[in-house]
Amino acid sequence: MLCERQLLIDILNNNVPDFTGKKYIWGTGNTAFLYQQGLKRLNASKELLISGYTDSNPKIWGGNCSGYPVYSPEELASQDDAVVLICTIKPENIRQIREKCAAYNLKSYLIDEVILKLHWHEVIQVYDFLNDNRSKEIYFHMVMCRLFGENPNPEMVETTPYFSVPEVMANEGSGCFVDCGGFNGDTVEQYIWKKDGVFDSILAIEPDAYNIRAMNSRFDRLKREWNLTDEKLSVLHAAIGEHSDDIYVESYSTNNGLASKVVEAPAKDTERVHITSIDDLFKDRKVSFIKADIESYEYNMLLGADEVINRDHPVMAICIYHNAVDFYSIPLLIRQIDSGYQFKIRQHSYTQLDTVLYCW
């Protein structure tokens, strides 16, 4: 592992991007949205200031993306100091965008390469405190995938998320299993089977109304099959974050409600929902397990759960794959909140999706 650690340091410090000048993100779709929370944190510290977006779709030129103007590639090519940050995880799309940037004589880098190399010290910190060699191997491998725009090798992938690390299940105490991003209840059903139906209570939190209907249908069946009461198995139609507020939620248009995104203003097909925090929800109830897959709001959720985490030390399974900032900042935040945690990382997708941090 010492050789691997040094190799990771060397690669992160090799060919560090020279991106002085105005920076534009190429990509205005769902992946670009998932970077907004991480970019806000980088923007607040003035580490990565974005001037706008670009895309090959002429229909969106002159519009805006996340409050920034969208330019055509030709407009960027007319500038002397434009730098393009490629924001996609699909290798084929990365290759095509690189070719387009080269055709316009635009300097370009993967946004993950820029972020991870800027924060190589934090990446190494996370690598160092991971609990086992398998986690270090997976973390090293997934950092390489993000640096070079590649999918993981199949041998790095384990197909069952959230409950695949024995230490998490073995160290779970009494209290509520909180499923942040409950989708249609599939993870809750897996949890019930893992626990043989013996648990204190479950609360599934989900902002998307279509998913709430699907989840309620599943939970009605589970209550009959396992003889569960409403107190044992319940649903909250809300988003989860740092503070309580009202927000607007829009379902992704291409995946049948598999995920939803928070938008800043009402628009067609958006739904107004309440956002709350773990600390507000569980002032007088104990939490035993937090699972979170909430479309890049995991960091915000943890900020709003610091009292519960300190009080109950719940085991956790937290997704860190939504953007490169989360890849190092989420583990470091958890360690800052409660230094007593141990950590493992597992990869559960054959793409760059579904990298999960396990804490106990």
Side-chain angles (χ1 to χ4, degrees):
M1 290 291 121
L2 288 176
C3 292
E4 182 180 82
R5 181 184 188 275
Q6 187 58 53
L7 180 59
L8 181 58
I9 292 173
D10 292 344
I11 293 173
L12 288 169
N13 282 280
N14 187 41
N15 295 323
V16 177
D18 174 18
F19 59 101
T20 53
K22 292 184 178 179
K23 289 164 279 295
Y24 301 88
I25 293 177
W26 190 306
T28 58
N30 292 337
T31 301
F33 163 77
L34 292 173
Y35 273 73
Q36 294 310 307
Q37 294 303 313
L39 288 174
K40 284 179 182 178
R41 302 200 293 275
L42 295 182
N43 183 68
S45 59
K46 301 189 184 303
E47 295 174 271
L48 188 60
L49 300 176
I50 302 301
S51 297
Y53 284 76
T54 188
D55 199 286
S56 56
N57 180 5
K59 293 182 179 179
I60 61 174
W61 297 344
N64 75 84
C65 177
S66 301
Y68 292 90
V70 180
Y71 299 93
S72 69
E74 288 87 350
E75 288 177 288
L76 300 191
S78 67
Q79 300 181 19
D80 293 330
D81 59 349
V83 179
V84 170
L85 305 181
I86 301 171
C87 188
T88 178
I89 64 169
K90 297 180 179 180
E92 178 61 19
N93 290 354
I94 292 170
R95 183 189 63 78
Q96 293 173 355
I97 295 170
R98 279 178 166 156
E99 290 176 353
K100 291 175 182 176
C101 287
Y104 288 111
N105 200 28
L106 285 167
K107 186 189 298 183
S108 66
Y109 303 102
L110 286 180
I111 192 169
D112 285 14
E113 179 188 9
V114 170
I115 292 170
L116 294 172
K117 288 186 174 181
L118 275 175
H119 289 269
W120 73 271
H121 282 101
E122 290 95 329
V123 173
I124 295 301
Q125 285 181 55
V126 175
Y127 178 90
D128 284 343
F129 64 61
L130 292 173
N131 186 262
D132 63 329
N133 288 340
R134 176 67 172 168
S135 292
K136 293 179 186 290
E137 180 184 29
I138 291 171
Y139 192 66
F140 172 88
H141 184 72
M142 294 311 300
V143 168
M144 293 302 106
C145 289
R146 300 187 84 101
L147 286 174
F148 298 106
E150 299 172 351
N151 288 328
N153 292 332
E155 60 266 23
M156 293 291 115
V157 179
E158 299 176 12
T159 55
T160 305
Y162 309 126
F163 312 116
S164 63
V165 172
E167 290 89 346
V168 169
M169 302 305 293
N171 285 281
E172 183 190 11
S174 61
C176 184
F177 170 66
V178 185
D179 185 359
C180 301
F183 180 39
N184 64 7
D186 55 339
T187 301
V188 165
E189 182 161 9
Q190 292 177 48
Y191 178 79
I192 292 172
W193 279 99
K194 287 286 184 181
K195 301 290 286 187
D196 294 322
V198 180
F199 55 88
D200 284 0
S201 62
I202 297 172
L203 176 64
I205 305 169
E206 170 61 44
D208 188 292
Y210 295 100
N211 290 341
I212 288 289
R213 286 198 287 271
M215 196 184 325
N216 279 325
S217 178
R218 184 191 292 259
F219 282 12
D220 287 343
R221 171 178 60 80
L222 290 172
K223 288 173 184 176
R224 293 193 304 271
E225 291 176 352
W226 292 89
N227 193 28
L228 302 174
T229 65
D230 292 342
E231 289 72 26
K232 293 276 285 187
L233 180 58
S234 56
V235 177
L236 178 63
H237 184 190
I240 202 77
E242 183 178 359
H243 305 293
S244 294
D245 201 353
D246 286 332
I247 58 168
Y248 296 91
V249 171
E250 177 184 1
S251 295
Y252 289 141
S253 60
T254 57
N255 60 0
N256 297 318
L258 182 61
S260 305
K261 56 186 177 182
V262 174
V263 293
E264 296 182 356
K268 184 181 178 182
D269 299 325
T270 60
E271 174 192 4
R272 185 173 181 175
V273 300
H274 187 63
I275 186 168
T276 188
S277 70
I278 295 287
D279 286 342
D280 285 344
L281 287 173
F282 290 93
K283 289 184 181 296
D284 302 313
R285 295 173 60 192
K286 187 176 180 182
V287 174
S288 63
F289 194 146
I290 298 173
K291 166 259 172 177
D293 185 358
I294 47 176
E295 303 304 293
S296 80
Y297 271 76
E298 290 83 1
Y299 191 93
N300 306 67
M301 179 277 295
L302 290 165
L303 290 174
D306 61 333
E307 294 177 8
V308 164
I309 291 171
N310 273 298
R311 184 191 70 197
D312 299 337
H313 193 82
V315 299
M316 294 189 282
I318 310 295
C319 291
I320 61 171
Y321 67 88
H322 291 110
N323 62 76
V325 184
D326 287 349
F327 223 66
Y328 59 84
S329 64
I330 285 178
L332 291 174
L333 176 61
I334 294 171
R335 203 162 191 241
Q336 176 184 325
I337 294 172
D338 185 341
S339 60
Y341 275 103
Q342 298 185 65
F343 300 88
K344 286 187 176 181
I345 284 177
R346 293 295 183 263
Q347 177 64 25
H348 300 293
S349 171
Y350 294 100
T351 69
Q352 290 182 27
L353 304 177
D354 297 338
T355 310
V356 179
L357 176 73
Y358 294 92
C359 320
W360 69 95

